Amino acid sequence: MDFLKSAVASAIAKGPPFPYSFGDKVDLDPSIWTLYNGTRREDGSDCSIFSFDISANRSSLPLARNAVKKLRTMRHPGVIKVLDTVESDSYIYIATERLVPLRWHVKRKSLSPETAKWGLYSVAKTVKFINDEASSIHGNLKVASVFTSESGEWKLGGFEVLSNVKDDDAVIYTYGSLVPDSARYTPPELAKSGWDAAKRSPHTAVDSYQFGALIFEVFNGNFSGSDQVGQTKGVPPTMHSSYKRLTNANPKARVSVGHFLEQGQRSASFFDSPLIKLTEGVENLGVKSESEREAFLDDLDQLTDDFPEDFFKMKVLPELLKSVEFGGGGPKAFSVVMKIAAKLSNDDFDTKVTPVLIRLFGNPDRAIRVCLLDNLPLMIDRLSQKVVNDKIFPQIVTGFTDVAPVVREQTLKSVLTLITKLSDRTINGELLKYLAKTANDEQPGIRTNTTICLGKIAKNLGTSTRAKVLIAAFTRSLRDPFVHARNASLLALAVTGEYFSGEDCATRIIPSVSPLLIDKEKLIRDQAAKTIEVYLQKIRKAAAAMPDTALPPESAASGGPRMSTPQPVESSASAWAGWAISSFTNKLSAAAGEIQPSSGGTASSAAPSSKARLAPASQTASSLHRQALKSPTPSSAPLSRTSSSGGFGNTAAGESFFADPEVADDDGDAWGDMDEGTATDDLFSANEPSSLSSSTTLPKKDTSSATASSSRTASGSGSAMPFDDGAEPDFAGWLAAQAQKKNPIGGKTLPKGLAKPAGATGKSGTSSAAAKKLPLSKVKVGGTTTAAAVVTKKIDMKPKETGDDDDDGGWGDGW
């Protein structure tokens, strides 16, 4: 083989240029030609090369030259397509389309009956053209003269003795017997009298007989001679009658190949088959009417896998693509395209289908766009990421904003198919931008599908923005009036919990889901309960991994606030009360000394008094508390403003507050003296742990007031300034009323520190000592203990009108 290639190359070098390269040699039946696979140097396309060595077969040179001449002048779809020919003194080369000898398929018996009939139909049309239109005789019909193209079509060659009957010096009459292996296929009348006898018979007789032999050989695999002519073994029954007339011993009684073709094309005859109809219709698909095109596509869609794949790939597919793109084939033609394209190799798909798909996605026809999106799963694996991301996706996104809802919905559904072919930048940028629009679409179904889409592509989103995007989208959908949109959001949240932190679950997701626990639809309520449970489990798991406390460890020498021993928790209410009383008791135990009474409202007395005087009943608890905070205290007392354990619980008034008073008939009236909902809320705020901690800070106004009072007291230059309580509700009056009820006239004495002041009127809201000054308190200033006198303010018991901008009655400023 190497020697032969080198010899051919040497011969080419001596002759005219031949722009084709020789490849492997192809086996042939006995022939004057040697067949090679070849390639075109210019573009690397495949071809076949017939080579004739003049020096080795000089006697057959007239046959080779006749073949070259007829192949170049005979133009018909069923004839081998010639690309180029070269003739020199030593060789003749014919470059043709890539061919495969039909003998290969016959030997392997790879031809289905339908494919065999389709091939014979094509050859019959070609022979009819030669006999009728060209007025010629082929004279060399046999399996060795037939080839299959890349499209699977049968192409007729073997033109060595093809002659025009009007030419008296035709090659067939002189050299017909020189054709290799011609004896097996020669008609009986020519075998007896020579090829000149063809002039005395119809010129179609020779080709009719040889075509009959070809039919037998195709269906049976071999033809040994004239004794097999006319046998019906393997031949389809519908063909028997016409086949026998082709091989009649009398040349004048034989039907022509053209007549045989007409008989086969009759309704329900042997050439009336779907595959043959396809080959006839596909070439004229572009000029068919809409009804004819629909009927043709229906027949095409019903074809089975028994038909030649190469034909569909090379002939049908290009015609269908042209029909879809330019000829109005529409979605139905495209569905057939995808059925055929599924059998293509990746290289063939990239070459033949991908360029057309890119152009089709740019087509503004909505029907084409929807059809493309419907078939996207069939083609996505064949398309490269670069093609999808750079060329197809920019065309697809126009569907997100189309006015037709069906286009928007199909575009949205295609995201699940496209997502694996898109870059991270495209997903987290342009795609999310369009999904945000469909999440607000006027169509509830599109909004619902957007939520479902986000849930399914969550794993493809960027980790830096995924939680933010999903929470925003899903929580918004939870408020959608469309029930299925809410349900889709709950389902999406249930399956994407792994992407959210414990803090997001507790602070953002559960508060958004919880209203749906009482949704009007049972479907939503049930799903909301399931979703809540998913996130509760996640929160429990996150909480279990957290430390018991975030506070720094206590140091004995730090002088920080004393902490109470946790009490057994019996119920939520009792646990709260037990904690407050325990802390209060611990703080009270640290207090020492007695409250010092005031003598004339000056700072001249520092000796402890045996009894403390109770503040007027009209004084409110709030003013007492603020007075305690503002008034300086002895340096040894833990209630000093500078002490780390500040609070109001260590005062006598606080002791009375935490006591359990007896229920009286007018208790409700007394609570009504306070602003409803505001003073009460501030009261509970006052009892929170923060009020008992070391971080208690006086308001700026009060601090400055206390500082000024201390300065004046220490210097002895003036009396203490009166304290303005801001006319807060008379809570102290209520305390006094409770004390009076516990100590009626002639009854038990009041607790220490709550004795009724002299001159009291006996009413809960008034007192004769309202204008008297409170007892002095000791304060340590500059290392010297002095006394500060505090003057009480007369309380106006009338209800005070409050503006809209001060609904809390001043409680907020005090705390």
Side-chain angles (χ1 to χ4, degrees):
M1 174 62 71
D2 293 338
F3 171 76
L4 181 60
K5 287 184 179 180
S6 62
V8 170
S10 177
I12 293 174
K14 296 178 183 179
F18 188 62
Y20 298 89
S21 300
F22 285 78
D24 298 332
K25 182 180 178 181
V26 179
D27 292 335
L28 276 178
D29 283 357
S31 175
I32 65 173
W33 300 99
T34 303
L35 180 61
Y36 297 92
N37 289 328
T39 56
R40 187 175 182 178
R41 294 197 189 103
E42 183 179 357
D43 56 8
S45 58
D46 294 334
C47 67
S48 293
I49 301 174
F50 290 89
S51 173
F52 180 78
D53 188 356
I54 295 177
S55 60
N57 299 287
R58 191 166 292 276
S59 60
S60 301
L61 182 58
L63 299 178
R65 287 177 174 170
N66 185 71
V68 172
K69 178 182 177 181
K70 297 300 182 181
L71 283 172
R72 294 180 67 175
T73 57
M74 188 71 67
R75 298 294 182 179
H76 189 271
V79 175
I80 292 173
K81 182 180 180 181
V82 176
L83 303 177
D84 200 358
T85 60
V86 171
E87 182 177 353
S88 68
D89 295 338
S90 58
Y91 60 85
I92 298 175
Y93 297 140
I94 305 174
T96 68
E97 60 182 316
R98 176 58 67 87
L99 300 171
V100 174
L102 180 62
R103 175 67 67 185
W104 289 15
H105 301 288
V106 172
K107 283 184 176 180
R108 292 197 301 263
K109 296 184 178 180
S110 60
L111 299 173
S112 66
E114 288 299 319
T115 303
K117 287 192 292 184
W118 168 61
L120 289 172
Y121 172 81
S122 178
V123 173
K125 287 201 305 179
T126 306
V127 173
K128 179 182 182 297
F129 173 79
I130 292 173
N131 290 161
D132 297 346
E133 280 75 9
S135 301
S136 300
I137 303 173
H138 186 279
N140 191 25
L141 284 176
K142 54 185 177 182
V143 168
S145 299
V146 182
F147 301 85
T148 60
S149 67
E150 288 183 303
S151 62
E153 295 175 280
W154 291 19
K155 298 298 184 76
L156 184 60
F159 284 5
E160 289 79 4
V161 294
L162 192 147
S163 303
N164 191 310
V165 295
K166 298 177 181 179
D167 187 0
D168 293 336
D169 297 329
V171 174
I172 191 171
Y173 304 130
T174 305
Y175 297 97
S177 59
L178 296 180
V179 176
D181 205 20
S182 63
R184 284 194 294 164
Y185 303 96
T186 302
E189 67 276 10
L190 300 183
K192 293 180 180 179
S193 306
W195 284 86
D196 284 339
K199 296 178 181 180
R200 299 186 291 270
S201 302
H203 73 282
T204 59
V206 176
D207 289 341
S208 297
Y209 181 88
Q210 290 182 340
F211 188 76
L214 175 65
I215 292 174
F216 181 88
E217 194 169 12
V218 166
F219 286 110
N220 292 279
N222 191 23
F223 180 74
S224 58
S226 57
D227 57 336
Q228 291 182 326
V229 174
Q231 293 183 9
T232 58
K233 178 184 178 182
V235 178
T238 55
M239 197 181 289
H240 286 177
S241 176
S242 300
Y243 159 70
K244 289 181 178 180
R245 295 182 63 185
L246 283 172
T247 57
N248 196 300
N250 185 358
K252 295 181 180 180
R254 294 174 194 155
V255 296
S256 65
V257 175
H259 187 65
F260 175 82
L261 183 64
E262 292 175 1
Q263 290 179 339
Q265 289 178 312
R266 294 172 182 172
S267 179
S269 189
F270 49 86
F271 285 153
D272 184 18
S273 68
L275 183 57
I276 293 174
K277 288 181 179 179
L278 167 66
T279 59
E280 291 295 302
V282 71
E283 296 177 357
N284 303 317
L285 185 59
V287 296
K288 288 182 180 294
S289 65
E290 186 174 352
S291 59
E292 291 175 338
R293 187 187 304 117
E294 288 291 325
F296 170 77
L297 292 174
D298 287 338
D299 293 339
L300 183 60
D301 198 32
Q302 296 173 2
L303 293 178
T304 65
D305 296 333
D306 295 336
F307 302 117
E309 295 181 8
D310 292 337
F311 178 74
F312 280 89
K313 178 177 69 176
M314 302 298 296
K315 295 292 290 186
V316 178
L317 183 60
E319 293 295 331
L320 288 175
L321 288 173
K322 285 191 292 184
S323 176
V324 172
E325 191 172 6
F326 307 112
K332 194 163 190 176
F334 186 79
S335 64
V336 181
V337 166
M338 295 312 302
K339 183 177 180 180
I340 298 172
K343 299 181 180 180
L344 298 180
S345 65
N346 290 335
D347 291 340
D348 288 337
F349 192 94
D350 290 340
T351 303
K352 302 178 184 301
V353 181
T354 299
V356 180
L357 289 177
I358 295 174
R359 294 195 297 270
L360 287 176
F361 272 108
N363 193 319
D365 190 308
R366 288 193 179 96
I368 292 295
R369 172 61 63 84
V370 172
C371 182
L372 287 168
L373 296 176
D374 285 339
N375 288 276
L376 193 59
L378 300 178
M379 66 179 84
I380 192 65
D381 292 335
R382 301 293 193 93
L383 299 172
S384 66
Q385 183 173 2
K386 182 175 179 60
V387 169
V388 174
N389 193 76
D390 298 345
K391 297 182 179 180
I392 292 181
F393 183 74
Q395 303 291 344
I396 287 180
V397 295
T398 59
F400 284 112
T401 56
D402 194 87
V403 296
V406 65
V407 177
R408 299 199 301 273
E409 184 170 7
Q410 290 302 116
T411 304
L412 177 62
K413 291 179 179 179
S414 70
V415 171
L416 299 181
T417 305
L418 292 169
I419 195 72
T420 57
K421 297 286 185 175
L422 299 179
S423 66
D424 292 340
R425 182 175 181 179
T426 302
I427 294 172
N428 296 286
E430 193 171 4
L431 177 60
L432 287 182
K433 179 181 70 174
Y434 284 105
L435 290 181
K437 293 182 179 180
T438 57
N440 298 322
D441 197 274
E442 61 182 8
Q443 296 293 325
I446 295 179
R447 299 198 300 269
T448 303
N449 286 335
T450 301
T451 302
I452 295 172
C453 177
L454 282 170
K456 290 186 176 182
I457 68 172
K459 61 183 179 181
N460 302 103
L461 301 180
T463 55
S464 60
T465 59
R466 176 166 50 202
K468 179 180 178 181
V469 170
L470 295 181
I471 291 176
F474 294 159
T475 54
R476 180 184 179 88
S477 183
L478 288 174
R479 303 187 297 271
D480 197 298
F482 187 52
V483 60
H484 297 292
R486 301 198 299 276
N487 190 51
S489 184
L490 290 170
L491 292 171
L493 282 170
V495 299
T496 56
E498 61 183 294
Y499 304 120
F500 308 125
S501 66
E503 183 178 357
D504 286 338
C505 296
T507 61
R508 301 186 64 184
I509 297 177
I510 285 186
S512 298
V513 175
S514 57
L516 273 63
L517 293 171
I518 54 172
D519 193 273
K520 295 180 180 179
E521 300 293 334
K522 186 177 185 300
L523 171 69
I524 303 302
R525 296 195 298 272
D526 294 344
Q527 186 57 47
K530 295 177 183 178
T531 304
I532 285 281
E533 184 59 31
V534 170
Y535 282 92
L536 285 177
Q537 292 178 4
K538 183 176 178 64
I539 291 173
R540 292 188 192 106
K541 185 176 180 180
M546 296 175 65
D548 292 343
T549 180
L551 297 176
E554 283 193 35
S555 174
S558 64
R562 298 180 57 186
M563 303 302 294
S564 63
T565 304
Q567 302 299 316
V569 178
E570 297 180 359
S571 66
S572 59
S574 63
W576 179 85
W579 174 84
I581 294 171
S582 174
S583 297
F584 171 76
T585 305
N586 289 339
K587 290 179 180 292
L588 190 62
S589 64
E594 295 181 355
I595 298 176
Q596 302 301 319
S598 173
S599 59
T602 65
S604 61
S605 177
S609 175
S610 60
K611 289 190 177 183
R613 301 180 64 182
L614 180 65
S618 61
Q619 182 84 7
T620 64
S622 174
S623 62
L624 286 175
H625 184 201
R626 296 189 183 187
Q627 183 67 33
L629 289 175
K630 291 185 178 182
S631 300
T633 58
S635 60
S636 61
L639 299 179
S640 172
R641 181 168 56 87
T642 60
S643 174
S644 61
S645 59
F648 74 89
N650 294 357
T651 63
E655 192 169 331
S656 175
F657 172 79
F658 282 104
D660 295 331
E662 295 179 0
V663 179
D665 294 337
D666 59 346
D667 286 354
D669 297 335
W671 279 103
D673 292 340
M674 296 189 299
D675 292 340
E676 183 179 356
T678 302
T680 307
D681 291 344
D682 289 341
L683 175 63
F684 281 104
S685 297
N687 289 316
E688 289 182 357
S690 60
S691 66
L692 302 178
S693 68
S694 60
S695 60
T696 302
T697 306
L698 292 175
K700 185 174 181 180
K701 180 181 69 173
D702 294 344
T703 303
S704 61
S705 175
T707 304
S709 176
S710 299
S711 301
R712 286 192 298 271
T713 304
S715 62
S717 61
S719 61
M721 295 294 294
F723 172 71
D724 185 3
D725 64 356
E728 293 174 340
D730 186 17
F731 185 49
W734 176 80
L735 288 174
Q738 299 303 314
Q740 182 180 9
K741 290 176 182 178
K742 285 190 175 183
N743 186 26
I745 298 174
K748 298 179 181 179
T749 60
L750 292 173
K752 182 180 180 181
L754 296 179
K756 187 174 182 181
T761 63
K763 295 183 181 180
S764 61
T766 61
S767 174
S768 62
K772 291 185 178 181
K773 300 176 182 177
L774 286 177
L776 294 175
S777 298
K778 291 182 179 181
V779 63
K780 188 174 184 179
V781 179
T784 305
T785 302
T786 60
V790 179
V791 180
T792 61
K793 178 182 177 182
K794 184 177 181 180
I795 303 300
D796 187 1
M797 300 306 298
K798 295 181 181 181
K800 183 178 180 180
E801 296 182 358
T802 58
D804 295 337
D805 58 341
D806 191 21
D807 293 338
D808 58 359
W811 286 81
D813 294 337
W815 295 102

